[in-house]
Amino acid sequence: VREFNAGGSVNRPSVTLERPIDESDSDTHFDLGLAYREMGLYEEAIKAFRKILGHGKEVQSHLMIGLCHRDQGNQSEAINQFKAGLYVERITSEEKLGLYYEIGITYEKLEDPQEALYYYEMIVKKQPSYRDVGERVTTLKTSSTTSNMARPPASVDPEADAALDRLLGSD
C-alpha cells in the first residue's frame, strides 16, 4: 500500500511493530536489521544493528552496518565499520576473512586497486580458496600491469624530449 502526501509524491512505507522489542534481545534486533536492509530501509537497519553492539554479534553488526553504508554509496563509512569489526575482541578467523573481503570490494568501488589488493592478499595467505579472491587478485594485478604498460611515461619538458629524439636520431 502506497500513500501519497499533499505534494503528490509517494511516502516511504513505515514499519511498526505491535510491541516493543526488549533492548537486550540481540537476535530479534539483528533479524529486524536484516529485514530493514532487505527492504532498502538502511537508516532503520543501521539503528537496529547499532542496538546490539556490545550485546553480542558485534562483528556481524559492524559488517551489516558497513554493508548498509556501502549500499547507500557511503564507501568510507563502510570501510570504517568493517575495520571496527576487525577490532572486536572475540572475532573468529572466518569473520576476519569476511571483513577483509568486504574491505577489498569497497576499495575496488573506490577505485583504489592497491588497497583492495592488500586486503585480498591477506585472505590468500590464510585461505587461498576463499570465495573468488584468487580471481580478484589476478584481475587487479593484471589490470595494474596493463594500465602501467599502456600509460606513456610522463613528459617533463617537451623541448628536452625533442632534444633527446634528435640526439638519438629519431625525429
Side-chain angles (χ1 to χ4, degrees):
V1 175
R2 291 183 179 217
E3 297 175 16
F4 292 89
N5 64 21
S9 62
V10 178
N11 289 332
R12 291 186 89 181
S14 63
V15 177
T16 56
L17 302 173
E18 291 187 21
R19 57 191 149 160
I21 300 170
D22 187 329
E23 292 297 316
S24 65
D25 188 351
S26 59
D27 288 336
T28 302
H29 282 293
F30 190 82
D31 291 343
L32 187 59
L34 291 175
Y36 282 145
R37 180 174 179 248
E38 188 72 26
M39 292 186 288
L41 302 170
Y42 301 115
E43 292 306 318
E44 290 84 351
I46 290 169
K47 286 176 190 171
F49 293 126
R50 284 193 193 284
K51 284 184 180 183
I52 55 178
L53 289 174
H55 298 289
K57 295 190 178 190
E58 283 92 359
V59 175
Q60 299 94 331
S61 295
H62 283 294
L63 171 67
M64 296 310 298
I65 292 168
L67 291 173
C68 287
H69 282 294
R70 191 169 72 196
D71 290 345
Q72 292 177 304
N74 189 352
Q75 311 307 334
S76 296
E77 185 54 34
I79 289 171
N80 289 339
Q81 287 298 319
F82 297 144
K83 287 182 177 181
L86 291 172
Y87 291 101
V88 171
E89 190 174 316
R90 294 185 182 173
I91 187 170
T92 67
S93 59
E94 192 65 28
E95 289 171 329
K96 202 175 272 191
L97 293 176
L99 288 168
Y100 288 156
Y101 186 80
E102 296 303 335
I103 292 169
I105 287 175
T106 309
Y107 275 119
E108 280 191 82
K109 289 181 178 290
L110 284 171
E111 297 179 11
D112 189 343
Q114 270 75 27
E115 282 297 311
L117 192 57
Y118 172 80
Y119 285 95
Y120 291 148
E121 287 180 333
M122 289 177 67
I123 297 169
V124 169
K125 288 177 189 175
K126 296 180 188 296
Q127 192 175 340
S129 62
Y130 188 83
R131 297 186 190 179
D132 64 345
V133 76
E135 295 170 31
R136 288 181 178 274
V137 166
T138 301
T139 301
L140 287 173
K141 284 184 175 181
T142 303
S143 65
S144 172
T145 303
T146 305
S147 67
N148 287 340
M149 288 176 16
R151 187 180 314 137
S155 178
V156 177
D157 181 1
E159 289 179 16
D161 281 350
L164 185 58
D165 286 343
R166 283 192 299 278
L167 252 164
L168 297 174
S170 54
D171 289 328

